[in-house]
Amino acid sequence: MKINEKIELLKFAIKLNLIIGIYNLFLFSYGNTIFNLVIGSINIGVWVFFRDMKLINILMSKK
């Protein structure tokens, strides 16, 4: 797998985290379960911290 393909898959996974996070927050608004709030917040947090790809480059250079 080439590095460009890995980056594209990583970008897709980050966007998927955003979608799942929004959906979990939507479920929290209807069901009032803390589980959906926690999972949704974590998923949106992953999107916030990894959306610019600078942090990923820093983490990969440490290896």
Side-chain angles (χ1 to χ4, degrees):
M1 191 180 256
K2 295 181 181 179
I3 191 75
N4 292 337
E5 293 173 353
K6 288 182 182 181
I7 290 172
E8 290 299 319
L9 285 176
L10 192 58
K11 287 181 182 179
F12 177 73
I14 291 169
K15 289 177 187 173
L16 189 63
N17 270 320
L18 175 65
I19 293 168
I20 291 173
I22 291 171
Y23 180 67
N24 277 320
L25 291 180
F26 172 75
L27 290 177
F28 170 72
S29 69
Y30 280 111
N32 289 332
T33 57
I34 299 297
F35 177 75
N36 287 333
L37 176 65
V38 170
I39 296 298
S41 300
I42 290 171
N43 283 332
I44 291 176
V46 167
W47 177 75
V48 165
F49 288 114
F50 290 108
R51 67 182 169 185
D52 60 353
M53 302 295 285
K54 291 178 185 175
L55 187 61
I56 294 171
N57 293 333
I58 293 169
L59 292 175
M60 292 183 101
S61 67
K62 298 276 182 175
K63 284 187 173 183

